[in-house]
Amino acid sequence: MMRCLVVSIKGGVGKSSIALNLASYTNGSYITNDLVTCNNSKAIQIEYNKKVIPLAYSKIQNAVYDFGAMYSQIDPKVSHATKLCDVIVIPTMTDPRSIQASIETYNLVKPSGKPIVIIINNYIKQNKYDDAVQELQSVLGELIVYGIRTTTLFERVAKDGDDWYQNIHNDHGEFQLNKTRIMHELVYDEIIKLGTR
């Protein structure tokens, strides 16, 4: 059982995809203020204008929170989620704007004292990943960084749901997606270890 917050001040870095996959992997609830368009039986949508997570949802022990992009200050729901969660995940891409947004997000959530993981998401070239890690560590010091290469796995989970994710098989050309799922799960397992210490 773990509660995780997936957050970034920048949109388009794969935050919702990572949150949804992590919720599917842990069989947890996916709690968001975005329009729920995914095929997840445990998806919960909170109204955008709510300042805090409603009590019924804040009591869920196995949950992944995804509350849209923040800006220069921490959103009240995000602040509430930092108090509830066991670990914080900040997704980023390798481009300079995404890296800068990750640094700013890190500084916004760091006062929570919770373990923070940065996931460099959707990268293709290893040297771009290495450069991004180096930039993050040169500004923030030693921190936990994982990588998830470009994949269609996120889209398939959103479209086909938890059952499909749990039963990816080698038929119908899904061998590569199954290999990708295994690589993702290594990252998710590390996040779970941090969140359950």
Side-chain angles (χ1 to χ4, degrees):
M1 296 294 215
M2 173 194 68
R3 289 189 280 199
C4 176
L5 169 63
V6 182
V7 66
S8 174
I9 66 169
K10 185 177 185 300
V13 291
K15 183 174 52 60
S16 295
S17 298
I18 288 172
L20 177 60
N21 264 35
L22 186 56
S24 291
Y25 180 57
T26 60
N27 199 27
S29 295
Y30 169 70
I31 302 174
T32 182
N33 63 352
D34 288 338
L35 184 63
V36 176
T37 57
C38 62
N39 183 2
N40 182 313
S41 60
K42 293 188 176 181
I44 297 168
Q45 183 180 359
I46 296 174
E47 292 120 27
Y48 189 80
N49 61 355
K50 291 277 186 196
K51 298 282 189 220
V52 296
I53 301 163
L55 186 60
Y57 304 141
S58 66
K59 289 184 173 184
I60 296 171
Q61 293 298 308
N62 192 17
V64 179
Y65 301 108
D66 168 19
F67 291 125
M70 300 180 304
Y71 299 99
S72 60
Q73 60 187 18
I74 197 162
D75 176 274
K77 277 185 297 303
V78 172
S79 180
H80 188 195
T82 62
K83 294 178 177 117
L84 297 173
C85 74
D86 303 300
V87 64
I88 299 169
V89 174
I90 303 171
T92 191
M93 307 287 246
T94 58
D95 64 281
R97 284 185 60 218
S98 296
I99 296 298
Q100 183 56 43
S102 298
I103 292 166
E104 291 171 30
T105 303
Y106 184 93
N107 288 328
L108 284 171
V109 297
K110 185 179 178 186
S112 71
K114 303 295 173 75
I116 300 172
V117 173
I118 295 181
I119 295 180
I120 298 175
N121 186 35
N122 207 29
Y123 73 94
I124 297 170
K125 297 184 177 178
Q126 185 65 39
N127 65 323
K128 294 273 192 184
Y129 170 83
D130 294 339
D131 291 347
V133 171
Q134 185 175 11
E135 176 66 18
L136 288 164
Q137 290 182 338
S138 72
V139 175
L140 299 173
E142 284 301 311
L143 69 159
I144 302 167
V145 181
Y146 298 114
I148 292 179
R149 289 185 175 272
T150 298
T151 177
T152 59
L153 183 65
F154 290 145
E155 290 81 10
R156 287 295 301 273
V157 171
K159 178 177 149 262
D160 297 326
D162 294 344
D163 289 340
W164 176 84
Y165 181 81
Q166 301 300 331
N167 297 297
I168 297 173
H169 48 75
N170 295 339
D171 296 339
H172 310 296
E174 291 177 344
F175 174 73
Q176 193 62 40
L177 283 176
N178 196 40
K179 281 177 54 181
T180 302
R181 182 187 77 163
I182 292 165
M183 292 188 311
H184 282 224
E185 289 176 355
L186 294 173
V187 173
Y188 303 152
D189 285 340
E190 292 303 313
I191 293 168
I192 292 165
K193 280 183 206 168
L194 275 176
T196 54
R197 279 185 182 167

